[in-house]
Amino acid sequence: MEAARDMWIYKSVTRQELESIKDIVEKYIVMLGGNKVSIALPYEQRTRSYTGNDFVENVSLRPVFEYRDEYFRVDEVCFPGKPFIVIEHGTYDELINNIMNEAYPFPYDLAEDELLKEVKYSLGIEPYPENY
């Protein structure tokens, strides 16, 4: 069996394209009332997703947002086939201890109106649909 490799595994989207979609998601968070906050985290924001024998690792410098007394940040989950975006959320202590919860991941390639809906679900502005 082949050892795990750190690489970008997608042919349909580049790392830069995925990051630009995360930028849009962050703009929606601000548009909906989230405030970007400066917090020095005591750890490196690192995401590692395994897809079979491969893994995708990302060190993120993305900002933290505060909304309704909770903290949020935009992250990713790399599934076989395509990457998904996930919004993490939690209390200040959960943020500082890197134990935030994750909202439901959603595909990076949704139309902008669908991305906005996903942000509203993740922030708790609208409930997830029953058939979600």
Side-chain angles (χ1 to χ4, degrees):
M1 181 159 70
E2 194 174 334
R5 298 183 309 268
D6 180 14
M7 56 190 275
W8 186 249
I9 61 172
Y10 304 106
K11 296 192 184 332
S12 62
V13 62
T14 65
R15 164 60 69 192
Q16 294 77 18
E17 290 168 331
L18 178 62
E19 294 299 326
S20 70
I21 299 300
K22 289 181 191 177
D23 292 342
I24 292 169
V25 169
E26 289 176 348
K27 286 178 187 173
Y28 288 153
I29 291 172
V30 171
M31 181 184 84
L32 294 167
N35 295 307
K36 190 172 169 179
V37 294
S38 293
I39 296 177
L41 298 173
Y43 55 85
E44 183 176 59
Q45 294 182 63
R46 182 181 301 268
T47 302
R48 180 177 276 188
S49 299
Y50 290 89
T51 58
N53 290 331
D54 297 320
F55 66 88
V56 177
E57 187 171 62
N58 183 45
V59 176
S60 175
L61 300 175
R62 294 216 161 258
V64 173
F65 299 89
E66 185 178 18
Y67 178 74
R68 294 186 179 166
D69 299 323
E70 244 191 320
Y71 293 86
F72 296 84
R73 64 181 173 204
V74 177
D75 203 356
E76 65 191 48
V77 180
C78 294
F79 291 118
K82 65 180 169 183
F84 279 52
I85 293 174
V86 64
I87 298 177
E88 299 178 319
H89 61 94
T91 65
Y92 179 81
D93 286 340
E94 289 169 332
L95 170 68
I96 292 299
N97 290 302
N98 199 22
I99 54 171
M100 295 177 75
N101 299 302
E102 294 179 347
Y104 289 111
F106 51 91
Y108 81 93
D109 56 353
L110 295 174
E112 286 200 30
D113 62 323
E114 293 295 318
L115 281 176
L116 180 57
K117 285 181 187 177
E118 292 293 340
V119 174
K120 288 178 179 179
Y121 301 151
S122 297
L123 294 178
I125 294 170
E126 291 184 8
Y128 285 99
E130 287 186 31
N131 61 351
Y132 202 77

